[in-house]
Amino acid sequence: MKEFIIRLVYVEMLGHDASFGYIHAVKMTHDDSLLLKRTGYLAVTLFLNEDHDLIILIVNTIQKDLKSDNYLVVCAALNAVCKLINEETIPAVLPQVVELLGHSKEAVRKKAIMALHRFYQRSPSSVMHLVSNFRKLCDNDPGVMGATLCPLFDLIAVDANSYKDLVISFVSILKQVAERRLPKTYDYHQMPAPFIQIRLLKILALLGSGDRQASENMYTVVGDIFRKCDSTSNIGNAVLYECICCVSSIYPNPKLLEAAADVISRFLKSDSHNLKYMGIDALSRLIKISPEIAEQHQLAVIDCLEDPDDTLKRKTFELLYRMTKSSNVEVIVDRMIDYMISINDNHYKTEIASRCVELAEQFAPSNHWFIQTMNKVFEHAGDLVNSKVAHNLMRLIAEGFGEDDDTADCQLRSSAVESYLRIIGEPKLPSAFLQVICWVLGEYGTAGGKYSASYITGKLCDVAEAHSSNDTVKAYAVTALMKVYAFEIAAGRKVDMLPECQSLIEELSASHSTDLQQRAYELQAVVTLDAHAVEIIMPSDASCEDIEVDKNLSFLDSYVERSLEQGAQPYIPENERSGMINICNFRSQDQHDTSTHTLRFEAYELPKTSAPPRISPVSLAPSTELVPVPEPSYPVETHHVASVPSVSDTGSTELRLRLDGVQKKWGRPTYSSPASSSSDSTSLKAVNGVTQSDVSSTSTSRTRDSSYDSRSAQGEISSEKKKLAASLFGGPSKTEKRPSSTSHKVARSTSPAVEKSQGPKAVASSTTGVVSEKAAPLQPPPDLLDLGEPTVTSSAPSVDPFKQLEGLLDPTQATSAANYGAVDNTKAADIMSVYSEFPTSGQSSVIANPLPTNAGDANLIPGLSTTNKTGHAKGPNPRDALEKDALVRQMGVTPMSQNPNLFRDLLG
């Protein structure tokens, strides 16, 4: 496997996808063999990145290996930490890495510093509390000290003032290194620890920038390096170059500047292009402090400028750009333009063009030279020139020399017109340059009287026709034509429009560009105006005059006053308008109606549930509350005081008692005559006596009930399923009667179509026992303990159920006792007393089908079948049931659902 992993590394090096083997490399990091483990770590660091999905698989391995006794395993894990640990997994390994800072092996301490540096680069906030560990430069091993310099350099680059106190320490270390006090193992080409010297010089350059006191501490050691450093090797020259960079950054010192100039001279006189490149770069750094240094090496700079090495030539142009002034700007810019013409690299050509424009604008000896230089830049750089350069050129021509000498300004403009008339015929002129040419010819083409209007307009028409696909150039040309004709009309001269101009205007009048159409129509309108009007709307040489803008629109004051007198509404400023609550007072009713039908951009409101019809509240009991719950309605037996509900054959939704967290009454389902088929609540709920709003129902029952409700609502329940539900949960049964274990018979109604199954259910309350004033049209649910067949009348309910409930709560109202056949009321009370033996938690759950469902199982408990001989309500006294339930809750009983097996035992 090790050989295969190494070959996969080679496959990845060749650019092929070897992701199929990544997991094997991850597995190899778990191996106990040191060779295999290090091979696995090497492979995963090459295969994976910090955001790869497999990183999570090696975090535990890294944590274990960081605590290993074998320092080679620890080093391999630290290498993986530097490569693979991302910002999210840093906290997982950070404590172990910090502990390794005190490891006995210097290689482990060095790699731990490197890991913390990597953590700082990934997430600076995760290691900011460990900055004190970086400031400790007293490690006995130079390698560990050198590794600490790298994170310190990054920290100092962000905030140098916080580390000014370390200047003395850095200078002391650099002095020890320069004096060869480190072991020989740190020498490189006979240079003592050159990379530590370079890093220290970079740090000192940051700390000494603009700080004279800190810089004075560095002068001695930097001068010693200049004298002792060997310039015959590349690494020695690299240290000397870093010394020059340090000298150019710290507070200037004449002796150090002279030593740096000598080193630069050696670099420039070398035959090596690399050393010349370093010399040019170092010279460009020093000329900011001492510009006269460049004059000493001007011949060497010219040689580099003519060198065939393109990289060296570009670096030399950067030097020239830095040393440009008014006396040498012409030579430098001309050389830059010549070089720009000779190269094909558009990126660097753009850079050279921008530098030429910048130098010409800053050090131009004359406006004439500036215009000529800009013409060259535009002609050869094309559209690579920034558009701002074109506007600056047009502004310069319009403003002139900025003095009162009108003659010089006229000469400048006439020379610009002459130069543009010569250039305008050349092919492939850039668009920006053509825009400048059209603007100058339109403004000053006929100003001096040297060129006629027909000549200038002919040239402009030629430009528009030659660039028919460029709408911007055509727009500039049409505006220039309008200016020429306007100036002619204002001067009182007759305007004769050339045929090519007329055809151009007619063509642009039908253009798809609305801008060109408008310009063409404006030109046609201006030509028809008189001289006075044209002079007002298009004054001559007024392009640079300041335009006075009346922000208050005072010229509209009289109009506003007249409108207010006529009853117009006053204007409301926007800042006041946004703070007003009712803006409708300032709108007409028609505007308000119209605004209601416009688009609305505010966020949508949350949907509001439709409120059920409000009914006067009725207080049923101190521990009950009525809430709207979608359940089937139950018709009420009108001849009983305590109405007995029955399942309706309609799926209507009415308000039911909310029985959340209340002790439930359990009973056996009964069989009756034909009853309802589908409703919103399933028969399972009727058996168990749990409403749909019961939040404590078990997930099994909720899933079954919700699926049944959805299928019932969609009408997808087959007749077989309906029959099965009826047989299981007390549905309609026209043909068979339940056998009774007693000699009593149940009175049947004359109309079998209205017989309903009666499900036992008792009125319950919430665990808080607070009286709720919410009311809902509710019939009392059936009593679950009454397992006899009901006697139901076919008449519709006519008695208000709330009046009956009020009667139940009336202490003076007489109630009728229930007949239980062989079982008397005391036995019923004994059955109720079973519930008081179990503590309650205030929650109720559903027992999935806890009772037998076969028709023959109805008599498993002898004597529970009842007969209604007197015609009164069957089952226990409703009032007694309410009182019994309240007593059970006060005693703190447990719902039977928490012990279903005991309940089954009690029922047979």
Side-chain angles (χ1 to χ4, degrees), residues 486-517:
F487 296 156
E488 291 294 307
I489 295 174
R493 291 187 287 269
K494 184 179 180 180
V495 175
D496 294 329
M497 188 175 294
L498 298 177
E500 54 268 25
C501 292
Q502 293 180 357
S503 61
L504 176 64
I505 298 305
E506 292 176 358
E507 178 186 353
L508 296 181
S509 300
S511 174
H512 293 290
S513 174
T514 55
D515 179 61
L516 293 178
Q517 281 190 23

PDB file of all heavy atoms in Angstrom, residues 486-517:
ATOM      1  N   ALA A 486     -23.869  76.914 -35.746  1.00  0.00           N
ATOM      2  CA  ALA A 486     -24.355  77.924 -34.814  1.00  0.00           C
ATOM      3  C   ALA A 486     -23.413  79.119 -34.779  1.00  0.00           C
ATOM      4  O   ALA A 486     -23.860  80.280 -34.753  1.00  0.00           O
ATOM      5  CB  ALA A 486     -24.496  77.317 -33.419  1.00  0.00           C
ATOM      6  N   PHE A 487     -22.109  78.872 -34.769  1.00  0.00           N
ATOM      7  CA  PHE A 487     -21.155  79.985 -34.756  1.00  0.00           C
ATOM      8  C   PHE A 487     -21.248  80.798 -36.051  1.00  0.00           C
ATOM      9  O   PHE A 487     -21.109  82.038 -36.046  1.00  0.00           O
ATOM     10  CB  PHE A 487     -19.738  79.460 -34.563  1.00  0.00           C
ATOM     11  CG  PHE A 487     -19.534  78.781 -33.227  1.00  0.00           C
ATOM     12  CD1 PHE A 487     -18.522  77.838 -33.055  1.00  0.00           C
ATOM     13  CD2 PHE A 487     -20.354  79.069 -32.139  1.00  0.00           C
ATOM     14  CE1 PHE A 487     -18.334  77.218 -31.837  1.00  0.00           C
ATOM     15  CE2 PHE A 487     -20.162  78.441 -30.930  1.00  0.00           C
ATOM     16  CZ  PHE A 487     -19.156  77.509 -30.764  1.00  0.00           C
ATOM     17  N   GLU A 488     -21.484  80.113 -37.163  1.00  0.00           N
ATOM     18  CA  GLU A 488     -21.636  80.824 -38.430  1.00  0.00           C
ATOM     19  C   GLU A 488     -22.898  81.692 -38.430  1.00  0.00           C
ATOM     20  O   GLU A 488     -22.875  82.839 -38.879  1.00  0.00           O
ATOM     21  CB  GLU A 488     -21.695  79.823 -39.582  1.00  0.00           C
ATOM     22  CG  GLU A 488     -20.385  79.109 -39.854  1.00  0.00           C
ATOM     23  CD  GLU A 488     -19.306  80.064 -40.343  1.00  0.00           C
ATOM     24  OE1 GLU A 488     -19.570  80.793 -41.325  1.00  0.00           O
ATOM     25  OE2 GLU A 488     -18.214  80.093 -39.742  1.00  0.00           O
ATOM     26  N   ILE A 489     -23.992  81.142 -37.901  1.00  0.00           N
ATOM     27  CA  ILE A 489     -25.230  81.923 -37.858  1.00  0.00           C
ATOM     28  C   ILE A 489     -25.084  83.102 -36.911  1.00  0.00           C
ATOM     29  O   ILE A 489     -25.537  84.226 -37.193  1.00  0.00           O
ATOM     30  CB  ILE A 489     -26.400  81.016 -37.429  1.00  0.00           C
ATOM     31  CG1 ILE A 489     -26.659  79.946 -38.492  1.00  0.00           C
ATOM     32  CG2 ILE A 489     -27.657  81.831 -37.174  1.00  0.00           C
ATOM     33  CD1 ILE A 489     -27.688  78.914 -38.090  1.00  0.00           C
ATOM     34  N   ALA A 490     -24.441  82.907 -35.768  1.00  0.00           N
ATOM     35  CA  ALA A 490     -24.256  84.000 -34.814  1.00  0.00           C
ATOM     36  C   ALA A 490     -23.361  85.086 -35.382  1.00  0.00           C
ATOM     37  O   ALA A 490     -23.520  86.276 -35.046  1.00  0.00           O
ATOM     38  CB  ALA A 490     -23.647  83.452 -33.520  1.00  0.00           C
ATOM     39  N   ALA A 491     -22.411  84.717 -36.254  1.00  0.00           N
ATOM     40  CA  ALA A 491     -21.541  85.715 -36.880  1.00  0.00           C
ATOM     41  C   ALA A 491     -22.211  86.425 -38.037  1.00  0.00           C
ATOM     42  O   ALA A 491     -21.613  87.344 -38.628  1.00  0.00           O
ATOM     43  CB  ALA A 491     -20.246  85.064 -37.342  1.00  0.00           C
ATOM     44  N   GLY A 492     -23.428  86.024 -38.397  1.00  0.00           N
ATOM     45  CA  GLY A 492     -24.148  86.676 -39.472  1.00  0.00           C
ATOM     46  C   GLY A 492     -23.804  86.173 -40.851  1.00  0.00           C
ATOM     47  O   GLY A 492     -24.184  86.798 -41.854  1.00  0.00           O
ATOM     48  N   ARG A 493     -23.126  85.049 -40.915  1.00  0.00           N
ATOM     49  CA  ARG A 493     -22.768  84.495 -42.211  1.00  0.00           C
ATOM     50  C   ARG A 493     -23.822  83.485 -42.661  1.00  0.00           C
ATOM     51  O   ARG A 493     -24.454  82.803 -41.835  1.00  0.00           O
ATOM     52  CB  ARG A 493     -21.383  83.842 -42.159  1.00  0.00           C
ATOM     53  CG  ARG A 493     -20.257  84.846 -41.977  1.00  0.00           C
ATOM     54  CD  ARG A 493     -18.897  84.164 -42.110  1.00  0.00           C
ATOM     55  NE  ARG A 493     -18.581  83.339 -40.947  1.00  0.00           N
ATOM     56  CZ  ARG A 493     -17.931  83.765 -39.881  1.00  0.00           C
ATOM     57  NH1 ARG A 493     -17.527  85.035 -39.810  1.00  0.00           N
ATOM     58  NH2 ARG A 493     -17.673  82.938 -38.879  1.00  0.00           N
ATOM     59  N   LYS A 494     -23.946  83.360 -43.946  1.00  0.00           N
ATOM     60  CA  LYS A 494     -24.926  82.451 -44.524  1.00  0.00           C
ATOM     61  C   LYS A 494     -24.415  81.016 -44.417  1.00  0.00           C
ATOM     62  O   LYS A 494     -23.255  80.747 -44.674  1.00  0.00           O
ATOM     63  CB  LYS A 494     -25.184  82.814 -45.985  1.00  0.00           C
ATOM     64  CG  LYS A 494     -26.260  81.960 -46.631  1.00  0.00           C
ATOM     65  CD  LYS A 494     -26.480  82.380 -48.079  1.00  0.00           C
ATOM     66  CE  LYS A 494     -27.556  81.518 -48.732  1.00  0.00           C
ATOM     67  NZ  LYS A 494     -27.789  81.898 -50.151  1.00  0.00           N
ATOM     68  N   VAL A 495     -25.326  80.161 -44.051  1.00  0.00           N
ATOM     69  CA  VAL A 495     -24.956  78.765 -43.854  1.00  0.00           C
ATOM     70  C   VAL A 495     -25.462  77.945 -45.031  1.00  0.00           C
ATOM     71  O   VAL A 495     -26.660  77.947 -45.343  1.00  0.00           O
ATOM     72  CB  VAL A 495     -25.558  78.214 -42.536  1.00  0.00           C
ATOM     73  CG1 VAL A 495     -25.270  76.735 -42.403  1.00  0.00           C
ATOM     74  CG2 VAL A 495     -25.026  78.991 -41.356  1.00  0.00           C
ATOM     75  N   ASP A 496     -24.527  77.300 -45.674  1.00  0.00           N
ATOM     76  CA  ASP A 496     -24.852  76.395 -46.768  1.00  0.00           C
ATOM     77  C   ASP A 496     -24.458  74.980 -46.337  1.00  0.00           C
ATOM     78  O   ASP A 496     -23.267  74.643 -46.278  1.00  0.00           O
ATOM     79  CB  ASP A 496     -24.107  76.785 -48.050  1.00  0.00           C
ATOM     80  CG  ASP A 496     -24.580  78.137 -48.589  1.00  0.00           C
ATOM     81  OD1 ASP A 496     -25.768  78.462 -48.382  1.00  0.00           O
ATOM     82  OD2 ASP A 496     -23.750  78.862 -49.180  1.00  0.00           O
ATOM     83  N   MET A 497     -25.457  74.183 -46.036  1.00  0.00           N
ATOM     84  CA  MET A 497     -25.192  72.824 -45.573  1.00  0.00           C
ATOM     85  C   MET A 497     -24.813  71.943 -46.744  1.00  0.00           C
ATOM     86  O   MET A 497     -25.494  71.931 -47.778  1.00  0.00           O
ATOM     87  CB  MET A 497     -26.423  72.263 -44.848  1.00  0.00           C
ATOM     88  CG  MET A 497     -26.181  70.920 -44.171  1.00  0.00           C
ATOM     89  SD  MET A 497     -27.596  70.358 -43.202  1.00  0.00           S
ATOM     90  CE  MET A 497     -27.621  71.593 -41.916  1.00  0.00           C
ATOM     91  N   LEU A 498     -23.720  71.253 -46.593  1.00  0.00           N
ATOM     92  CA  LEU A 498     -23.243  70.374 -47.648  1.00  0.00           C
ATOM     93  C   LEU A 498     -24.219  69.222 -47.864  1.00  0.00           C
ATOM     94  O   LEU A 498     -24.921  68.800 -46.940  1.00  0.00           O
ATOM     95  CB  LEU A 498     -21.866  69.815 -47.283  1.00  0.00           C
ATOM     96  CG  LEU A 498     -20.736  70.854 -47.117  1.00  0.00           C
ATOM     97  CD1 LEU A 498     -19.453  70.150 -46.687  1.00  0.00           C
ATOM     98  CD2 LEU A 498     -20.515  71.608 -48.419  1.00  0.00           C
ATOM     99  N   PRO A 499     -24.275  68.686 -49.083  1.00  0.00           N
ATOM    100  CA  PRO A 499     -25.198  67.559 -49.346  1.00  0.00           C
ATOM    101  C   PRO A 499     -24.899  66.346 -48.461  1.00  0.00           C
ATOM    102  O   PRO A 499     -25.824  65.682 -47.989  1.00  0.00           O
ATOM    103  CB  PRO A 499     -24.955  67.244 -50.822  1.00  0.00           C
ATOM    104  CG  PRO A 499     -24.432  68.506 -51.396  1.00  0.00           C
ATOM    105  CD  PRO A 499     -23.628  69.160 -50.310  1.00  0.00           C
ATOM    106  N   GLU A 500     -23.599  66.069 -48.248  1.00  0.00           N
ATOM    107  CA  GLU A 500     -23.296  64.921 -47.385  1.00  0.00           C
ATOM    108  C   GLU A 500     -23.739  65.151 -45.944  1.00  0.00           C
ATOM    109  O   GLU A 500     -24.142  64.224 -45.239  1.00  0.00           O
ATOM    110  CB  GLU A 500     -21.802  64.589 -47.413  1.00  0.00           C
ATOM    111  CG  GLU A 500     -20.867  65.731 -47.074  1.00  0.00           C
ATOM    112  CD  GLU A 500     -20.412  66.490 -48.332  1.00  0.00           C
ATOM    113  OE1 GLU A 500     -21.142  66.459 -49.345  1.00  0.00           O
ATOM    114  OE2 GLU A 500     -19.308  67.071 -48.278  1.00  0.00           O
ATOM    115  N   CYS A 501     -23.720  66.405 -45.502  1.00  0.00           N
ATOM    116  CA  CYS A 501     -24.216  66.715 -44.156  1.00  0.00           C
ATOM    117  C   CYS A 501     -25.730  66.540 -44.088  1.00  0.00           C
ATOM    118  O   CYS A 501     -26.264  66.031 -43.094  1.00  0.00           O
ATOM    119  CB  CYS A 501     -23.829  68.137 -43.771  1.00  0.00           C
ATOM    120  SG  CYS A 501     -22.050  68.380 -43.539  1.00  0.00           S
ATOM    121  N   GLN A 502     -26.426  66.971 -45.132  1.00  0.00           N
ATOM    122  CA  GLN A 502     -27.884  66.814 -45.145  1.00  0.00           C
ATOM    123  C   GLN A 502     -28.279  65.337 -45.129  1.00  0.00           C
ATOM    124  O   GLN A 502     -29.193  64.928 -44.405  1.00  0.00           O
ATOM    125  CB  GLN A 502     -28.453  67.511 -46.378  1.00  0.00           C
ATOM    126  CG  GLN A 502     -28.312  69.020 -46.352  1.00  0.00           C
ATOM    127  CD  GLN A 502     -28.884  69.674 -47.594  1.00  0.00           C
ATOM    128  OE1 GLN A 502     -29.337  68.985 -48.518  1.00  0.00           O
ATOM    129  NE2 GLN A 502     -28.869  71.000 -47.637  1.00  0.00           N
ATOM    130  N   SER A 503     -27.584  64.554 -45.938  1.00  0.00           N
ATOM    131  CA  SER A 503     -27.909  63.126 -45.943  1.00  0.00           C
ATOM    132  C   SER A 503     -27.591  62.469 -44.598  1.00  0.00           C
ATOM    133  O   SER A 503     -28.320  61.585 -44.129  1.00  0.00           O
ATOM    134  CB  SER A 503     -27.133  62.430 -47.059  1.00  0.00           C
ATOM    135  OG  SER A 503     -25.726  62.559 -46.846  1.00  0.00           O
ATOM    136  N   LEU A 504     -26.517  62.925 -43.951  1.00  0.00           N
ATOM    137  CA  LEU A 504     -26.170  62.381 -42.631  1.00  0.00           C
ATOM    138  C   LEU A 504     -27.250  62.716 -41.604  1.00  0.00           C
ATOM    139  O   LEU A 504     -27.666  61.857 -40.818  1.00  0.00           O
ATOM    140  CB  LEU A 504     -24.814  62.932 -42.190  1.00  0.00           C
ATOM    141  CG  LEU A 504     -24.353  62.530 -40.778  1.00  0.00           C
ATOM    142  CD1 LEU A 504     -24.135  61.025 -40.683  1.00  0.00           C
ATOM    143  CD2 LEU A 504     -23.067  63.280 -40.404  1.00  0.00           C
ATOM    144  N   ILE A 505     -27.736  63.972 -41.651  1.00  0.00           N
ATOM    145  CA  ILE A 505     -28.765  64.371 -40.685  1.00  0.00           C
ATOM    146  C   ILE A 505     -30.058  63.610 -40.940  1.00  0.00           C
ATOM    147  O   ILE A 505     -30.739  63.168 -40.005  1.00  0.00           O
ATOM    148  CB  ILE A 505     -28.994  65.887 -40.760  1.00  0.00           C
ATOM    149  CG1 ILE A 505     -27.701  66.646 -40.400  1.00  0.00           C
ATOM    150  CG2 ILE A 505     -30.110  66.307 -39.835  1.00  0.00           C
ATOM    151  CD1 ILE A 505     -27.133  66.260 -39.053  1.00  0.00           C
ATOM    152  N   GLU A 506     -30.425  63.437 -42.205  1.00  0.00           N
ATOM    153  CA  GLU A 506     -31.643  62.686 -42.510  1.00  0.00           C
ATOM    154  C   GLU A 506     -31.517  61.226 -42.062  1.00  0.00           C
ATOM    155  O   GLU A 506     -32.467  60.623 -41.569  1.00  0.00           O
ATOM    156  CB  GLU A 506     -31.920  62.755 -44.009  1.00  0.00           C
ATOM    157  CG  GLU A 506     -32.308  64.140 -44.482  1.00  0.00           C
ATOM    158  CD  GLU A 506     -32.473  64.203 -45.992  1.00  0.00           C
ATOM    159  OE1 GLU A 506     -32.245  63.146 -46.635  1.00  0.00           O
ATOM    160  OE2 GLU A 506     -32.806  65.267 -46.515  1.00  0.00           O
ATOM    161  N   GLU A 507     -30.336  60.674 -42.225  1.00  0.00           N
ATOM    162  CA  GLU A 507     -30.126  59.295 -41.798  1.00  0.00           C
ATOM    163  C   GLU A 507     -30.218  59.153 -40.282  1.00  0.00           C
ATOM    164  O   GLU A 507     -30.846  58.222 -39.763  1.00  0.00           O
ATOM    165  CB  GLU A 507     -28.753  58.819 -42.277  1.00  0.00           C
ATOM    166  CG  GLU A 507     -28.407  57.402 -41.836  1.00  0.00           C
ATOM    167  CD  GLU A 507     -26.977  57.022 -42.220  1.00  0.00           C
ATOM    168  OE1 GLU A 507     -26.320  57.814 -42.932  1.00  0.00           O
ATOM    169  OE2 GLU A 507     -26.513  55.953 -41.778  1.00  0.00           O
ATOM    170  N   LEU A 508     -29.607  60.104 -39.571  1.00  0.00           N
ATOM    171  CA  LEU A 508     -29.630  60.016 -38.117  1.00  0.00           C
ATOM    172  C   LEU A 508     -31.005  60.345 -37.542  1.00  0.00           C
ATOM    173  O   LEU A 508     -31.318  59.931 -36.423  1.00  0.00           O
ATOM    174  CB  LEU A 508     -28.588  60.965 -37.516  1.00  0.00           C
ATOM    175  CG  LEU A 508     -27.135  60.650 -37.859  1.00  0.00           C
ATOM    176  CD1 LEU A 508     -26.199  61.647 -37.191  1.00  0.00           C
ATOM    177  CD2 LEU A 508     -26.769  59.226 -37.426  1.00  0.00           C
ATOM    178  N   SER A 509     -31.836  61.086 -38.299  1.00  0.00           N
ATOM    179  CA  SER A 509     -33.187  61.381 -37.810  1.00  0.00           C
ATOM    180  C   SER A 509     -34.033  60.132 -37.711  1.00  0.00           C
ATOM    181  O   SER A 509     -35.006  60.095 -36.945  1.00  0.00           O
ATOM    182  CB  SER A 509     -33.873  62.405 -38.730  1.00  0.00           C
ATOM    183  OG  SER A 509     -33.138  63.604 -38.767  1.00  0.00           O
ATOM    184  N   ALA A 510     -33.707  59.111 -38.480  1.00  0.00           N
ATOM    185  CA  ALA A 510     -34.432  57.843 -38.436  1.00  0.00           C
ATOM    186  C   ALA A 510     -33.619  56.746 -37.754  1.00  0.00           C
ATOM    187  O   ALA A 510     -33.905  55.566 -37.907  1.00  0.00           O
ATOM    188  CB  ALA A 510     -34.791  57.402 -39.847  1.00  0.00           C
ATOM    189  N   SER A 511     -32.603  57.149 -36.957  1.00  0.00           N
ATOM    190  CA  SER A 511     -31.739  56.168 -36.311  1.00  0.00           C
ATOM    191  C   SER A 511     -32.479  55.479 -35.178  1.00  0.00           C
ATOM    192  O   SER A 511     -33.421  56.010 -34.579  1.00  0.00           O
ATOM    193  CB  SER A 511     -30.478  56.852 -35.778  1.00  0.00           C
ATOM    194  OG  SER A 511     -29.695  55.949 -35.029  1.00  0.00           O
ATOM    195  N   HIS A 512     -32.037  54.261 -34.857  1.00  0.00           N
ATOM    196  CA  HIS A 512     -32.599  53.541 -33.718  1.00  0.00           C
ATOM    197  C   HIS A 512     -32.150  54.134 -32.389  1.00  0.00           C
ATOM    198  O   HIS A 512     -32.774  53.884 -31.360  1.00  0.00           O
ATOM    199  CB  HIS A 512     -32.191  52.070 -33.772  1.00  0.00           C
ATOM    200  CG  HIS A 512     -32.790  51.329 -34.922  1.00  0.00           C
ATOM    201  ND1 HIS A 512     -34.129  51.036 -35.005  1.00  0.00           N
ATOM    202  CD2 HIS A 512     -32.238  50.842 -36.058  1.00  0.00           C
ATOM    203  CE1 HIS A 512     -34.379  50.387 -36.120  1.00  0.00           C
ATOM    204  NE2 HIS A 512     -33.244  50.251 -36.787  1.00  0.00           N
ATOM    205  N   SER A 513     -31.071  54.919 -32.412  1.00  0.00           N
ATOM    206  CA  SER A 513     -30.563  55.548 -31.201  1.00  0.00           C
ATOM    207  C   SER A 513     -31.328  56.840 -30.946  1.00  0.00           C
ATOM    208  O   SER A 513     -31.330  57.754 -31.775  1.00  0.00           O
ATOM    209  CB  SER A 513     -29.063  55.831 -31.337  1.00  0.00           C
ATOM    210  OG  SER A 513     -28.590  56.568 -30.239  1.00  0.00           O
ATOM    211  N   THR A 514     -31.983  56.913 -29.822  1.00  0.00           N
ATOM    212  CA  THR A 514     -32.732  58.130 -29.488  1.00  0.00           C
ATOM    213  C   THR A 514     -31.802  59.315 -29.277  1.00  0.00           C
ATOM    214  O   THR A 514     -32.176  60.456 -29.557  1.00  0.00           O
ATOM    215  CB  THR A 514     -33.564  57.896 -28.219  1.00  0.00           C
ATOM    216  OG1 THR A 514     -32.703  57.449 -27.167  1.00  0.00           O
ATOM    217  CG2 THR A 514     -34.623  56.829 -28.451  1.00  0.00           C
ATOM    218  N   ASP A 515     -30.575  59.047 -28.804  1.00  0.00           N
ATOM    219  CA  ASP A 515     -29.620  60.132 -28.607  1.00  0.00           C
ATOM    220  C   ASP A 515     -29.233  60.761 -29.942  1.00  0.00           C
ATOM    221  O   ASP A 515     -29.221  61.999 -30.087  1.00  0.00           O
ATOM    222  CB  ASP A 515     -28.390  59.598 -27.891  1.00  0.00           C
ATOM    223  CG  ASP A 515     -27.341  60.670 -27.683  1.00  0.00           C
ATOM    224  OD1 ASP A 515     -27.633  61.662 -26.991  1.00  0.00           O
ATOM    225  OD2 ASP A 515     -26.219  60.521 -28.204  1.00  0.00           O
ATOM    226  N   LEU A 516     -28.953  59.930 -30.933  1.00  0.00           N
ATOM    227  CA  LEU A 516     -28.609  60.462 -32.253  1.00  0.00           C
ATOM    228  C   LEU A 516     -29.809  61.168 -32.889  1.00  0.00           C
ATOM    229  O   LEU A 516     -29.651  62.203 -33.561  1.00  0.00           O
ATOM    230  CB  LEU A 516     -28.116  59.334 -33.155  1.00  0.00           C
ATOM    231  CG  LEU A 516     -26.772  58.686 -32.768  1.00  0.00           C
ATOM    232  CD1 LEU A 516     -26.447  57.552 -33.714  1.00  0.00           C
ATOM    233  CD2 LEU A 516     -25.666  59.731 -32.788  1.00  0.00           C
ATOM    234  N   GLN A 517     -31.007  60.633 -32.698  1.00  0.00           N
ATOM    235  CA  GLN A 517     -32.204  61.301 -33.217  1.00  0.00           C
ATOM    236  C   GLN A 517     -32.358  62.698 -32.625  1.00  0.00           C
ATOM    237  O   GLN A 517     -32.610  63.674 -33.335  1.00  0.00           O
ATOM    238  CB  GLN A 517     -33.445  60.472 -32.896  1.00  0.00           C
ATOM    239  CG  GLN A 517     -33.678  59.289 -33.819  1.00  0.00           C
ATOM    240  CD  GLN A 517     -35.047  58.676 -33.590  1.00  0.00           C
ATOM    241  OE1 GLN A 517     -35.948  59.329 -33.082  1.00  0.00           O
ATOM    242  NE2 GLN A 517     -35.194  57.422 -33.965  1.00  0.00           N
TER     243      GLN A 517
END
